[in-house]
Amino acid sequence: MDQKYVHIISTIVEHKPGVLYTVSNLFRRRGFNIDSISVGSTEESGIARMTIMVTGDNRTIEQVIKQLNKLIDVLKVTRLDPENIVTRELALIKVTATSTKARSDIINYADIFRARVVDVCTESLMMEITGTSDKIDAFITLMKPFGVKEVARTGITSLSRGPKSVKIDE
């Protein structure tokens, strides 16, 4: 049996209503789980990029890619090489901070992790942090003793390093 790994798939799609539903419905029908998904417009009008993180063995990932390639609105599917990509995620984290000492400690930790305080109220602080998923996980773990009230994560987005690009073939 193959070992399961996290795979990152970059998909170039038509930027129109219903495409995200079609892609996520394919995963649902086939019983594949999406670990994270992020979608946004690209440098080309009418085109969007989906970055999909999936855990599975090589056979499962090959099946996912074959199924994605069959969808009409999907223009290109590429499995990204984890050794040759830049990956980032954004998270908003709201933490309980009722004392001056707690606020000071939280802000010091935020500085170390290069997080930014984006909202302050009498009971809590909200930080914005970007980076790898591991970095964000580590920051959340560090904030838990203070009382993490809410976390919102975007899911990862990735691009290949260097001159290689995931683009539609012309």
Side-chain angles (χ1 to χ4, degrees), residues 118-146:
V118 292
D119 186 56
V120 177
C121 72
T122 57
E123 303 290 318
S124 66
L125 293 172
M126 184 188 314
M127 273 78 58
E128 167 193 294
I129 184 170
T130 58
T132 63
S133 296
D134 291 344
K135 175 185 173 184
I136 293 171
D137 290 342
F139 186 69
I140 291 170
T141 299
L142 195 60
M143 293 296 106
K144 283 185 178 173
F146 297 102

Side-chain angles (χ1 to χ4, degrees), residues 1-5 7 56-58:
M1 184 174 164
D2 280 345
Q3 280 191 303
K4 292 186 175 188
Y5 295 100
H7 302 269
D57 56 30
N58 284 330

Side-chain angles (χ1 to χ4, degrees), residues 40-151:
S41 56
T42 65
E43 69 285 355
E44 196 170 329
S45 178
I47 304 295
R49 177 185 309 269
M50 288 186 184
T51 304
I52 307 168
M53 194 166 83
V54 180
T55 301
D57 56 30
N58 284 330
R59 185 170 170 235
T60 301
I61 300 309
E62 287 170 15
Q63 188 65 28
V64 167
I65 291 170
K66 282 180 185 173
Q67 295 299 320
L68 284 168
N69 275 316
K70 290 180 181 177
L71 299 176
I72 292 169
D73 295 323
V74 172
L75 306 173
K76 183 160 187 163
V77 180
T78 303
R79 184 191 324 190
L80 298 177
D81 174 7
E83 302 296 321
N84 198 24
I85 58 174
V86 174
T87 301
R88 293 292 183 266
E89 182 176 4
L90 180 141
L92 295 174
I93 304 159
K94 189 183 297 180
V95 181
T96 303
T98 53
S99 72
T100 304
K101 175 158 180 23
R103 284 177 188 275
S104 176
D105 289 347
I106 292 167
I107 290 169
N108 285 335
Y109 288 136
D111 285 343
I112 292 168
F113 277 78
R114 296 184 186 155
R116 288 183 333 130
V117 176
V118 292
D119 186 56
V120 177
C121 72
T122 57
E123 303 290 318
S124 66
L125 293 172
M126 184 188 314
M127 273 78 58
E128 167 193 294
I129 184 170
T130 58
T132 63
S133 296
D134 291 344
K135 175 185 173 184
I136 293 171
D137 290 342
F139 186 69
I140 291 170
T141 299
L142 195 60
M143 293 296 106
K144 283 185 178 173
F146 297 102
V148 174
K149 297 178 80 157
E150 275 186 289
V151 174

